[in-house]
Amino acid sequence: KLINAEYIDIFFEASFNVSKIESDGKVYGFELEMVTNRPYALQEPILIYLKNIVPNGQKRFYSKSDEEGYIYPNMEITIAEDGDFELYNSLEDRTMRIANCKVGEVIRVNYPVIESSLKDHKIQNDFNWKFFRIATTFREKANDVTISIPCTIKMIYSPVVKVGI
């Protein structure tokens, strides 16, 4: 994290190489070389909470990312009715589908892992392996989603922030 009022809610995933600055055998400072895993910073995690969704219910939320493309959020889906769960994002024309869901089942998605709270649900066989993504295009940040069965969804993601330091 940068210690600066302008950048209070952003961070980099980085490592540092440290070298001593010496003169006459005394250390006067350190030289830090920062290496990051991406060219831009991330914002502190954002929670999107879609609750009490009705069958074929539609919700809209906006991506906060400055970067075009997509982000796989961590998700917790609590199923409120037996059936096949589908989460469709019209911005990408993409559907995440999980068959044979049960009332009270909690499905956790942390790309590339998906798991069910029900030990007898062989979710790997019922999943279409199209993980849900939050999308951002050059002109559009609105993600309109349609959900097939009643449920509650919690999504957490860290948007990309394009800043200079």
Side-chain angles (χ1 to χ4, degrees), residues 38 40-43 64-67 71 157-162:
R38 59 176 48 91
Y40 304 113
L42 296 173
Q43 186 177 350
K64 304 278 188 189
S65 182
D66 292 338
E67 180 75 353
I71 297 172
Y157 76 106
S158 292
V160 174
V161 181
K162 292 184 176 180

PDB file of all heavy atoms in Angstrom, residues 38 40-43 64-67 71 157-162:
ATOM      1  N   ARG A  38       1.486  -7.069 -12.116  1.00  0.00           N
ATOM      2  CA  ARG A  38       0.653  -6.428 -13.140  1.00  0.00           C
ATOM      3  C   ARG A  38       1.086  -4.972 -13.259  1.00  0.00           C
ATOM      4  O   ARG A  38       1.674  -4.429 -12.326  1.00  0.00           O
ATOM      5  CB  ARG A  38      -0.832  -6.533 -12.801  1.00  0.00           C
ATOM      6  CG  ARG A  38      -1.211  -5.911 -11.489  1.00  0.00           C
ATOM      7  CD  ARG A  38      -2.714  -5.933 -11.176  1.00  0.00           C
ATOM      8  NE  ARG A  38      -3.362  -7.196 -11.359  1.00  0.00           N
ATOM      9  CZ  ARG A  38      -3.504  -8.123 -10.413  1.00  0.00           C
ATOM     10  NH1 ARG A  38      -3.027  -7.902  -9.209  1.00  0.00           N
ATOM     11  NH2 ARG A  38      -4.122  -9.249 -10.654  1.00  0.00           N
ATOM     12  N   TYR A  40      -0.682  -2.267 -13.207  1.00  0.00           N
ATOM     13  CA  TYR A  40      -1.501  -1.293 -12.502  1.00  0.00           C
ATOM     14  C   TYR A  40      -1.803  -1.747 -11.077  1.00  0.00           C
ATOM     15  O   TYR A  40      -1.683  -2.914 -10.735  1.00  0.00           O
ATOM     16  CB  TYR A  40      -2.828  -1.063 -13.249  1.00  0.00           C
ATOM     17  CG  TYR A  40      -2.620  -0.634 -14.672  1.00  0.00           C
ATOM     18  CD1 TYR A  40      -2.978  -1.460 -15.719  1.00  0.00           C
ATOM     19  CD2 TYR A  40      -2.051   0.592 -14.977  1.00  0.00           C
ATOM     20  CE1 TYR A  40      -2.786  -1.070 -17.030  1.00  0.00           C
ATOM     21  CE2 TYR A  40      -1.846   0.992 -16.277  1.00  0.00           C
ATOM     22  CZ  TYR A  40      -2.216   0.152 -17.302  1.00  0.00           C
ATOM     23  OH  TYR A  40      -2.012   0.540 -18.601  1.00  0.00           O
ATOM     24  N   ALA A  41      -2.284  -0.803 -10.287  1.00  0.00           N
ATOM     25  CA  ALA A  41      -2.661  -1.085  -8.906  1.00  0.00           C
ATOM     26  C   ALA A  41      -4.056  -1.701  -8.848  1.00  0.00           C
ATOM     27  O   ALA A  41      -4.771  -1.766  -9.858  1.00  0.00           O
ATOM     28  CB  ALA A  41      -2.639   0.219  -8.104  1.00  0.00           C
ATOM     29  N   LEU A  42      -4.435  -2.141  -7.654  1.00  0.00           N
ATOM     30  CA  LEU A  42      -5.779  -2.651  -7.398  1.00  0.00           C
ATOM     31  C   LEU A  42      -6.424  -1.802  -6.312  1.00  0.00           C
ATOM     32  O   LEU A  42      -5.743  -1.267  -5.444  1.00  0.00           O
ATOM     33  CB  LEU A  42      -5.721  -4.104  -6.932  1.00  0.00           C
ATOM     34  CG  LEU A  42      -5.179  -5.115  -7.924  1.00  0.00           C
ATOM     35  CD1 LEU A  42      -5.019  -6.474  -7.264  1.00  0.00           C
ATOM     36  CD2 LEU A  42      -6.078  -5.214  -9.135  1.00  0.00           C
ATOM     37  N   GLN A  43      -7.741  -1.699  -6.386  1.00  0.00           N
ATOM     38  CA  GLN A  43      -8.492  -1.016  -5.341  1.00  0.00           C
ATOM     39  C   GLN A  43      -8.824  -2.023  -4.248  1.00  0.00           C
ATOM     40  O   GLN A  43      -8.957  -3.216  -4.517  1.00  0.00           O
ATOM     41  CB  GLN A  43      -9.774  -0.425  -5.923  1.00  0.00           C
ATOM     42  CG  GLN A  43     -10.560   0.421  -4.957  1.00  0.00           C
ATOM     43  CD  GLN A  43     -11.783   1.039  -5.609  1.00  0.00           C
ATOM     44  OE1 GLN A  43     -11.949   0.991  -6.818  1.00  0.00           O
ATOM     45  NE2 GLN A  43     -12.641   1.616  -4.801  1.00  0.00           N
ATOM     46  N   LYS A  64     -16.084  -1.195 -11.445  1.00  0.00           N
ATOM     47  CA  LYS A  64     -15.287  -0.042 -11.009  1.00  0.00           C
ATOM     48  C   LYS A  64     -13.881  -0.072 -11.613  1.00  0.00           C
ATOM     49  O   LYS A  64     -13.068   0.785 -11.323  1.00  0.00           O
ATOM     50  CB  LYS A  64     -15.171  -0.029  -9.491  1.00  0.00           C
ATOM     51  CG  LYS A  64     -16.477  -0.045  -8.759  1.00  0.00           C
ATOM     52  CD  LYS A  64     -17.064   1.313  -8.664  1.00  0.00           C
ATOM     53  CE  LYS A  64     -18.277   1.240  -7.743  1.00  0.00           C
ATOM     54  NZ  LYS A  64     -19.030   2.444  -7.742  1.00  0.00           N
ATOM     55  N   SER A  65     -13.607  -1.062 -12.457  1.00  0.00           N
ATOM     56  CA  SER A  65     -12.269  -1.233 -13.016  1.00  0.00           C
ATOM     57  C   SER A  65     -11.972  -0.195 -14.094  1.00  0.00           C
ATOM     58  O   SER A  65     -12.827   0.138 -14.903  1.00  0.00           O
ATOM     59  CB  SER A  65     -12.133  -2.642 -13.610  1.00  0.00           C
ATOM     60  OG  SER A  65     -10.836  -2.829 -14.107  1.00  0.00           O
ATOM     61  N   ASP A  66     -10.732   0.288 -14.115  1.00  0.00           N
ATOM     62  CA  ASP A  66     -10.271   1.203 -15.163  1.00  0.00           C
ATOM     63  C   ASP A  66      -9.775   0.453 -16.391  1.00  0.00           C
ATOM     64  O   ASP A  66      -9.537   1.060 -17.433  1.00  0.00           O
ATOM     65  CB  ASP A  66      -9.112   2.071 -14.647  1.00  0.00           C
ATOM     66  CG  ASP A  66      -9.538   3.047 -13.576  1.00  0.00           C
ATOM     67  OD1 ASP A  66     -10.737   3.373 -13.498  1.00  0.00           O
ATOM     68  OD2 ASP A  66      -8.660   3.498 -12.805  1.00  0.00           O
ATOM     69  N   GLU A  67      -9.600  -0.834 -16.276  1.00  0.00           N
ATOM     70  CA  GLU A  67      -9.019  -1.657 -17.347  1.00  0.00           C
ATOM     71  C   GLU A  67     -10.111  -2.398 -18.108  1.00  0.00           C
ATOM     72  O   GLU A  67     -11.009  -2.988 -17.511  1.00  0.00           O
ATOM     73  CB  GLU A  67      -8.038  -2.663 -16.731  1.00  0.00           C
ATOM     74  CG  GLU A  67      -7.357  -3.583 -17.704  1.00  0.00           C
ATOM     75  CD  GLU A  67      -6.264  -2.913 -18.519  1.00  0.00           C
ATOM     76  OE1 GLU A  67      -6.096  -1.683 -18.451  1.00  0.00           O
ATOM     77  OE2 GLU A  67      -5.574  -3.632 -19.249  1.00  0.00           O
ATOM     78  N   ILE A  71     -12.871  -9.480 -14.734  1.00  0.00           N
ATOM     79  CA  ILE A  71     -12.318  -9.912 -13.453  1.00  0.00           C
ATOM     80  C   ILE A  71     -13.205 -11.026 -12.918  1.00  0.00           C
ATOM     81  O   ILE A  71     -14.437 -10.909 -12.949  1.00  0.00           O
ATOM     82  CB  ILE A  71     -12.278  -8.751 -12.446  1.00  0.00           C
ATOM     83  CG1 ILE A  71     -11.349  -7.639 -12.942  1.00  0.00           C
ATOM     84  CG2 ILE A  71     -11.842  -9.237 -11.065  1.00  0.00           C
ATOM     85  CD1 ILE A  71     -11.396  -6.365 -12.115  1.00  0.00           C
ATOM     86  N   TYR A 157     -14.518  -8.375  -5.318  1.00  0.00           N
ATOM     87  CA  TYR A 157     -13.446  -8.278  -6.306  1.00  0.00           C
ATOM     88  C   TYR A 157     -12.652  -6.976  -6.072  1.00  0.00           C
ATOM     89  O   TYR A 157     -13.148  -6.063  -5.433  1.00  0.00           O
ATOM     90  CB  TYR A 157     -13.990  -8.318  -7.737  1.00  0.00           C
ATOM     91  CG  TYR A 157     -14.643  -7.043  -8.220  1.00  0.00           C
ATOM     92  CD1 TYR A 157     -13.993  -6.220  -9.135  1.00  0.00           C
ATOM     93  CD2 TYR A 157     -15.889  -6.648  -7.770  1.00  0.00           C
ATOM     94  CE1 TYR A 157     -14.594  -5.042  -9.579  1.00  0.00           C
ATOM     95  CE2 TYR A 157     -16.493  -5.489  -8.207  1.00  0.00           C
ATOM     96  CZ  TYR A 157     -15.825  -4.681  -9.115  1.00  0.00           C
ATOM     97  OH  TYR A 157     -16.405  -3.511  -9.546  1.00  0.00           O
ATOM     98  N   SER A 158     -11.447  -6.959  -6.589  1.00  0.00           N
ATOM     99  CA  SER A 158     -10.589  -5.770  -6.506  1.00  0.00           C
ATOM    100  C   SER A 158     -10.421  -5.199  -7.906  1.00  0.00           C
ATOM    101  O   SER A 158      -9.750  -5.797  -8.746  1.00  0.00           O
ATOM    102  CB  SER A 158      -9.217  -6.127  -5.926  1.00  0.00           C
ATOM    103  OG  SER A 158      -9.341  -6.483  -4.577  1.00  0.00           O
ATOM    104  N   PRO A 159     -11.036  -4.040  -8.185  1.00  0.00           N
ATOM    105  CA  PRO A 159     -10.923  -3.436  -9.506  1.00  0.00           C
ATOM    106  C   PRO A 159      -9.505  -2.962  -9.806  1.00  0.00           C
ATOM    107  O   PRO A 159      -8.754  -2.585  -8.893  1.00  0.00           O
ATOM    108  CB  PRO A 159     -11.868  -2.238  -9.461  1.00  0.00           C
ATOM    109  CG  PRO A 159     -12.645  -2.363  -8.212  1.00  0.00           C
ATOM    110  CD  PRO A 159     -11.896  -3.270  -7.309  1.00  0.00           C
ATOM    111  N   VAL A 160      -9.154  -2.955 -11.085  1.00  0.00           N
ATOM    112  CA  VAL A 160      -7.871  -2.426 -11.532  1.00  0.00           C
ATOM    113  C   VAL A 160      -7.950  -0.893 -11.520  1.00  0.00           C
ATOM    114  O   VAL A 160      -8.940  -0.323 -11.973  1.00  0.00           O
ATOM    115  CB  VAL A 160      -7.521  -2.932 -12.953  1.00  0.00           C
ATOM    116  CG1 VAL A 160      -6.268  -2.257 -13.474  1.00  0.00           C
ATOM    117  CG2 VAL A 160      -7.386  -4.447 -12.948  1.00  0.00           C
ATOM    118  N   VAL A 161      -6.920  -0.249 -10.985  1.00  0.00           N
ATOM    119  CA  VAL A 161      -6.865   1.211 -10.913  1.00  0.00           C
ATOM    120  C   VAL A 161      -5.616   1.662 -11.663  1.00  0.00           C
ATOM    121  O   VAL A 161      -4.496   1.256 -11.323  1.00  0.00           O
ATOM    122  CB  VAL A 161      -6.804   1.703  -9.448  1.00  0.00           C
ATOM    123  CG1 VAL A 161      -6.764   3.211  -9.392  1.00  0.00           C
ATOM    124  CG2 VAL A 161      -7.966   1.155  -8.652  1.00  0.00           C
ATOM    125  N   LYS A 162      -5.817   2.500 -12.666  1.00  0.00           N
ATOM    126  CA  LYS A 162      -4.675   3.008 -13.429  1.00  0.00           C
ATOM    127  C   LYS A 162      -4.204   4.321 -12.800  1.00  0.00           C
ATOM    128  O   LYS A 162      -4.851   5.345 -12.926  1.00  0.00           O
ATOM    129  CB  LYS A 162      -5.065   3.232 -14.882  1.00  0.00           C
ATOM    130  CG  LYS A 162      -5.358   1.941 -15.614  1.00  0.00           C
ATOM    131  CD  LYS A 162      -5.643   2.193 -17.076  1.00  0.00           C
ATOM    132  CE  LYS A 162      -5.826   0.890 -17.814  1.00  0.00           C
ATOM    133  NZ  LYS A 162      -6.107   1.086 -19.229  1.00  0.00           N
TER     134      LYS A 162
END
